[in-house]
């Protein structure tokens, strides 16, 4: 049985060295995540992911892996340490120097901590005389990335060290590259649909990447760094970065444009041959000639998606998770020690738990801090944002026992007999899939 | 269908910048892993994990997570960047300076890339006024670690950047700490038993960790850096580091001692209160007094276990995986294009595949390079070390069709009708679990 009592959630100021208060701008949701012990600052812009948030991240990773497998993308791991000289080949080192963490090893060789892997993956590709038969090729990884932000902020939404999923595609020609590009965009849409937080896809800026086409995935949020223009008529959207003013929609000519603040959670780039030419990466085509592959680069901010989706859904005092990423789907609150419900609650608990296991697997937690009142635990369960809370309160002593079920999406409670409770939750679970 | 043709396995020298030949000592198994495109050097001592090896690592991670859940250990992620000042508290910075990657951020704050997280996790623990009720506590993570090895060698067995599983335990007193310590040791034994490569557990050196008790888990291998003494009579073992000569067993007094070269793949330390005292970490005991928790620290070299288990099992030309970590369990080789078996092979393939999916799930791959002869593909399938290879050769045209099944553990082939083949593999799969 997963026990809430044993979950590690440090919630008080530390007594040494590192101050608790982040010396950075923090949003409401991130303050909640800190206060409830889901994340913790280890230094300015650096965060520990604690057990609750880790479960959420692991769920997101599963969703990503599944969708990557479906489009035939292959998982790899490239080292975090990148030789500076690789970035000199593409002239990116000088442009982004301040945001990069750079170090020298014991032999004075210079490395940077990877913020992104275009050069490395292109070099890796070039290490094989690939033929057109092996293309298209999609390689991805899920790993730690680094950016020495001048002003890290918003907890895990904009930290200096973060978890990214990055993918790189290689194709024979532009036509095929566009097919791969659309395939990844569709997979990203499926991932965001599955997560369930409303997102906006807009034409993006290619920024430091170069390349010809780019889209961005955003979660709308007041605290976001990006500003999006969206046509209310046809839905076309574009980042303010690439269109500082938009009075008329370039697609449908409507002048009904709205402006939204947002957090970027995904980005796709059609790169063309910039990297493959700079790094002399080639494949041999049907006629035997060596040609540079057309590339694409695609990113999802894994830890950022967790932070940003909580940012979008939460209220002042209550965390709300997208159900797909909630650390646990159901929290059970048994009766208080010494209460008149204690006996029945104890007798019924394992039956209830075993029934729920069949629906939710490992995804149930018991708030076994039975020295606390039900009321106090219920308030905290709401704060922590479990999609469902099952309370074994006064009506557990009725015949048959009645269970209170709180649904965090409707914010309402209802009473159920055991069988009806199980059937209701089973239905909810099926809808989710 | 998983297709061998599409799996990315770069196997030829690169054409730019980074030389293919590792400028480091390499063992036979690592040479095979490089030549077969399972790993690739990105710089001296730094390696890409490519799709085959990545699958193996992901399988190991699942085994680890499952066993950690069983002992109630909680998964977290601590940042890779560690403030140097934390390591000054315990005086470890000066002692290990050369092996550490150290950098300064844009504000000239000094950080090290984590080789291990004792200081960080102790500081994290101290950030909460934990009570005795919340102990024992076990926190673990699976993440990238760094060591600036003066002589990296043996590919992913001793690289500068590697994947580790590290766990830290916190207890009320020494008695309870020993219980936690034994629990983790048992979980490690279960993990190594599950992997299935013969291992040796010995009394270890506490090295840079300090602390009172320590054990090491080793895979015996000629190329290993460690030397172990083992009593042939009672099985007691000890690392030469802590007992430079061993003529008589300290447990049973036997003089029948053997000496084995080995690769360290796991290490456990009973730390006591060294870190908690140095970092002022305290919990409040039953009587309200604040006391330093007794700690333990435990590590498994995740990427190293992959490299070392292949090192132990492989021969000169053939990789052998422990079946639990094989990238794919079954490889199917359909008939060659234009052969007289092609028609039947094509007709039978999806039936065979679907039958195998029910046993092995995603764990099957088809060598669809049907422009190559069966013989050539069979040789490569043996080299790649799939536990089972199903060949759709000449006898596929018999009535009923006969499938050749090659078993890499016995190195023998037998012919089966479809039903018998499925039943045989089903049995093998059950034995594995």
């Amino acid at each position: 049985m997963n026990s809430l009592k044993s979950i590690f959630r440090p919630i008080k100021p530390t007594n040494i060295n590192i101050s608790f208060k982040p010396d950075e701008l923090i949003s409401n949701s991130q303050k909640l995540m800190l206060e409830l012990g889901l994340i913790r600052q280890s230094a300015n812009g650096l965060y520990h992911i604690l057990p609750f948030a880790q479960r959420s991240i692991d769920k997101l990773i599963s969703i990503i892996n599944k969708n990557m497998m479906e489009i035939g993308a292959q998982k790899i791991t490239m080292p975090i340490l990148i030789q500076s000289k690789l970035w000199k080949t593409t002239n990116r080192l000088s442009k982004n120097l301040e945001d990069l963490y750079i170090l020298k090893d014991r032999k004075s060789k210079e490395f940077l901590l990877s913020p992104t892997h275009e050069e490395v993956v292109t070099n890796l590709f070039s290490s094989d005389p690939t033929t057109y038969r092996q293309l298209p090729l999609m390689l991805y990884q899920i790993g730690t990335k680094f950016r020495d932000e001048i002003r890290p902020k918003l907890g895990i939404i904009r930290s200096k060290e973060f978890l990214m999923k990055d993918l790189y595609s290689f194709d024979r020609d532009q036509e095929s590259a566009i097919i791969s590009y659309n395939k990844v965009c569709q997979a990203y849409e499926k991932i965001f649909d599955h997560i369930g937080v409303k997102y906006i896809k807009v034409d993006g800026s290619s920024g430091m990447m170069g390349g010809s086409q780019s889209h961005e995935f955003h979660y709308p949020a007041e605290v976001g760094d990006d500003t999006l223009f969206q046509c209310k008529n046809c839905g076309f959207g574009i980042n303010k970065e690439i269109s500082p003013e938009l009075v008329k929609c370039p697609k449908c000519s409507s002048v009904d444009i709205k402006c939204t603040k947002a957090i970027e959670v995904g980005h796709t780039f059609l790169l063309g041959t910039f990297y493959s030419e700079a790094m002399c990466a080639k494949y041999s085509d049907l006629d035997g000639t060596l040609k540079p592959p057309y590339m694409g680069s695609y990113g999802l901010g894994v830890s950022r998606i967790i932070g940003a989706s909580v940012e979008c859904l939460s209220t002042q005092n209550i965390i709300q998770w997208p159900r797909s990423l909630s650390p646990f789907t159901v929290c059970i609150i048994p009766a208080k020690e010494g209460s008149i419900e204690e006996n029945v609650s104890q007798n019924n608990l394992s039956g209830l738990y075993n029934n729920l296991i069949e629906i939710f697997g490992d995804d149930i937690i018991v708030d076994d801090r039975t020295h606390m009142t039900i009321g106090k635990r219920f308030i905290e369960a709401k704060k922590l944002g479990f999609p469902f809370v099952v309370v074994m309160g006064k009506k557990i002593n009725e015949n048959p026992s009645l269970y209170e079920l709180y649904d965090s999406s409707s914010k309402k409670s209802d009473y159920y007999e055991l069988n009806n409770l199980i059937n209701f939750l089973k239905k909810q679970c099926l809808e989710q899939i």
Side-chain angles (χ1 to χ4, degrees), chain A:
Chain A
M1 251 188 220
N2 294 310
S3 132
L4 189 62
K5 185 161 64 187
S6 3
I7 297 253
F8 181 64
R9 294 192 294 130
I11 52 173
K12 289 285 164 60
T14 175
N15 53 355
I16 59 150
N17 284 333
I18 313 283
S19 73
F20 171 63
K21 270 190 196 146
D23 39 351
E24 52 181 76
L25 180 69
I26 205 85
S27 68
N28 182 55
S29 77
Q30 295 302 295
K31 200 165 145 268
L32 278 171
M33 287 187 82
L34 283 164
E35 284 175 359
L36 290 166
L38 313 189
I39 57 172
R40 184 155 192 107
Q41 200 191 38
S42 81
N44 174 249
L46 294 170
Y47 286 85
H48 299 291
I49 306 289
L50 300 177
F52 267 103
Q54 183 70 46
R55 283 183 67 95
S56 185
I57 282 186
D58 284 350
K59 284 188 178 185
L60 180 52
I61 289 174
S62 298
I63 296 169
I64 291 171
N65 281 335
K66 185 175 160 286
N67 281 281
M68 290 303 100
M69 206 171 73
E70 279 176 17
I71 59 168
Q74 299 176 48
K75 195 173 173 186
I76 62 173
T77 306
M78 294 179 274
I80 287 168
L81 288 172
I82 301 181
Q83 292 181 83
S84 293
K85 65 176 178 184
L86 269 184
W87 274 48
K88 283 174 187 155
T89 325
T90 54
N91 211 19
R92 279 214 290 185
L93 195 60
S94 51
K95 286 184 200 158
N96 306 281
L97 214 51
E98 290 202 327
D99 282 346
L100 295 173
Y101 286 105
I102 294 185
L103 59 80
K104 287 206 162 110
D105 73 1
R106 65 196 302 155
K107 286 171 185 159
S108 295
K109 270 197 186 167
E110 199 181 84
F111 290 85
L112 50 105
L113 301 191
S114 171
T116 180
H117 272 96
E118 281 78 11
E119 286 81 356
V120 178
V121 79
T122 310
N123 191 54
L124 176 62
F125 178 92
S126 80
S127 65
D128 199 34
T130 312
T131 77
Y132 69 94
R133 269 187 297 260
Q134 288 158 283
L135 303 181
L137 173 68
M138 294 184 194
L139 300 173
Y140 82 101
Q141 60 179 354
I142 296 174
T144 310
K145 295 278 187 287
F146 296 83
R147 196 178 300 143
D148 194 359
E149 297 271 3
I150 188 159
R151 255 180 301 280
K153 58 179 182 176
L154 305 177
I156 59 169
I157 295 176
R158 193 176 189 117
S159 52
K160 295 175 176 178
E161 187 181 327
F162 47 96
L163 195 63
M164 276 278 291
K165 175 262 174 186
D166 46 332
L167 183 150
Y168 307 90
S169 65
F170 298 87
D171 274 275
R172 258 177 105 171
D173 50 32
Q174 194 175 15
E175 198 184 336
S176 158
I178 290 171
I179 294 172
S180 292
Y181 181 84
N182 290 334
K183 218 183 238 184
V184 180
C185 282
Q186 278 157 24
Y188 279 18
E189 285 167 26
K190 272 181 78 176
I191 290 167
F192 284 115
D193 286 342
H194 187 110
I195 293 171
V197 176
K198 196 190 137 202
Y199 66 94
I200 304 170
K201 185 184 169 194
V202 299
D203 279 23
S205 111
S206 17
M208 70 189 272
M209 292 294 177
S212 59
Q213 199 179 339
S214 161
H215 287 92
E216 299 171 358
F217 294 82
H218 287 269
Y219 282 164
E222 267 314 305
V223 299
D225 272 334
D226 287 84
T227 306
L228 313 178
F229 293 123
Q230 275 184 289
C231 171
K232 282 180 162 178
N233 182 44
C234 75
F236 170 81
I238 194 163
N239 194 315
K240 193 179 173 182
E241 275 175 30
I242 55 168
S243 179
E245 274 191 90
L246 193 73
V247 285
K248 205 169 110 178
C249 173
K251 288 259 162 99
C252 75
S253 299
S254 163
V255 292
D256 204 1
I257 308 285
K258 71 171 170 182
C259 187
T260 313
K261 298 290 277 180
I263 301 167
E264 188 185 322
V265 284
H267 207 148
T268 58
F269 303 94
L270 193 61
L271 294 173
T273 57
F274 172 74
Y275 291 94
S276 41
E277 288 189 35
M279 322 256 331
C280 303
K282 296 203 169 66
Y283 73 95
S284 68
D285 208 350
L286 188 57
D287 57 5
T289 55
L290 293 174
K291 296 180 180 171
Y294 276 70
M295 290 176 56
S297 158
Y298 316 81
L300 289 176
V302 178
S303 42
R304 179 181 281 192
I305 286 174
I306 304 298
S309 56
V310 167
E311 179 68 30
C312 290
L313 303 178
S314 303
T315 63
Q316 187 69 23
N317 300 308
I318 288 177
I319 282 189
Q320 174 111 24
W321 304 88
R323 203 192 288 174
S324 57
L325 301 181
S326 178
F328 294 91
T329 305
V330 185
C331 174
I332 302 174
I333 303 182
K336 188 176 187 291
E337 273 168 36
S339 68
I340 49 167
E341 297 85 21
E342 188 183 11
N343 268 343
V344 182
S345 170
Q346 275 186 356
N347 291 340
N348 291 6
L349 181 59
S350 67
L352 171 65
Y353 195 83
N354 291 336
N355 268 297
L356 292 178
I357 272 183
E358 291 192 11
I359 312 173
F360 298 103
D362 178 40
D363 229 15
I364 316 152
I365 190 163
V366 178
D367 189 344
D368 49 354
R369 298 170 302 172
T370 47
H371 62 284
M372 289 166 64
T373 62
I374 282 189
K376 244 185 167 168
R377 283 178 287 156
F378 194 20
I379 288 171
E380 197 170 350
K382 285 181 185 171
K383 249 182 182 307
L384 281 165
F386 302 111
F388 298 107
V389 184
V390 179
V391 184
M392 299 169 90
K394 288 215 165 59
K395 297 197 180 179
I396 206 83
N397 271 353
E398 294 188 6
N399 193 355
S401 288
L402 290 179
Y403 297 82
E404 181 179 351
L405 177 71
Y406 174 77
D407 180 337
S408 77
S409 58
S410 68
K411 309 246 181 295
K412 280 183 187 155
S413 277
D414 272 310
Y415 288 89
Y416 295 88
E417 291 179 29
L418 183 62
N419 279 343
N420 296 340
L421 178 75
I422 300 304
N423 287 335
F424 177 82
L425 287 173
K426 216 175 258 173
K427 222 182 102 199
Q428 291 287 324
C429 183
L430 286 174
E431 276 173 19
Q432 174 68 9
I433 298 157

